[in-house]
Amino acid sequence: MGMAKSITSVWVIDDIDDQTLITIAFKNIDPIILVTLLDKDEAFLNHIQQASPLAKLVLLDLNMPKINGFEALKELRANTKYDAVPIIVLTTSSNSTDKEIAWSLGANGFFNKPVTYTELMNVIQKVAIQWHVFQN
């Protein structure tokens, strides 16, 4: 009897259009990946307090309609449960100040959000490999 594969959970904090594309990208890499979509302030804050199991990886956009990405990053890093969880910023911003702030707040990676779906797939694949999303 082999051990059951634990479900890998990835959280995507972004607006709805990009969430859809990112979910498809992860499912194409490995259909068993559980993608949790978060975008509302209260829902997000409740989720990070109560979530179990924790995410293997958090993908975070900086420019969102309801929640500021830097605030979200701060909230996650203020909670010691998330010390070991990689938080990757995936944003349309190419502003170097944004990048510096993200690093200073505890981001583990910073990627510019590509324009095409193919490029997005490549970035998601890179992120998944670099931060060991596939390893149990």
Side-chain angles (χ1 to χ4, degrees):
M1 291 275 294
M3 284 184 45
K5 188 177 177 189
S6 67
I7 299 283
T8 295
S9 176
V10 174
W11 298 353
V12 180
I13 307 164
D14 206 333
D15 61 50
I16 197 80
D17 298 341
D18 288 334
Q19 281 181 339
T20 306
L21 288 175
I22 291 167
T23 301
I24 295 166
F26 272 115
K27 294 288 181 189
N28 279 340
I29 294 168
D30 185 350
I32 204 166
I33 293 174
L34 177 69
V35 181
T36 302
L37 307 175
L38 300 167
D39 65 348
K40 296 181 184 65
D41 318 52
E42 300 79 23
F44 167 74
L45 293 173
N46 290 339
H47 189 80
I48 67 171
Q49 299 307 331
Q50 295 153 12
S52 172
L54 293 180
K56 263 282 183 75
L57 179 77
V58 176
L59 271 189
L60 174 65
D61 189 5
L62 297 179
N63 317 313
M64 291 175 288
K66 297 193 181 85
I67 188 170
N68 173 300
F70 293 126
E71 290 302 318
L73 183 52
K74 252 184 229 165
E75 290 289 343
L76 283 161
R77 285 297 177 228
N79 189 327
T80 53
K81 282 199 303 193
Y82 295 95
D83 286 355
V85 177
I87 302 174
I88 312 305
V89 173
L90 182 63
T91 182
T92 48
S93 167
S94 52
N95 183 327
S96 59
T97 310
D98 283 351
K99 199 173 191 169
E100 281 161 30
I101 296 168
W103 289 124
S104 72
L105 292 175
N108 300 88
F110 191 101
F111 290 88
N112 287 113
K113 198 177 275 184
V115 182
T116 70
Y117 177 71
T118 310
E119 289 170 339
L120 180 67
M121 269 294 295
N122 293 341
V123 169
I124 296 298
Q125 212 147 10
K126 203 182 293 179
V127 165
I129 292 163
Q130 192 169 348
W131 281 277
H132 313 294
V133 171
F134 308 118
Q135 291 179 8
N136 293 313

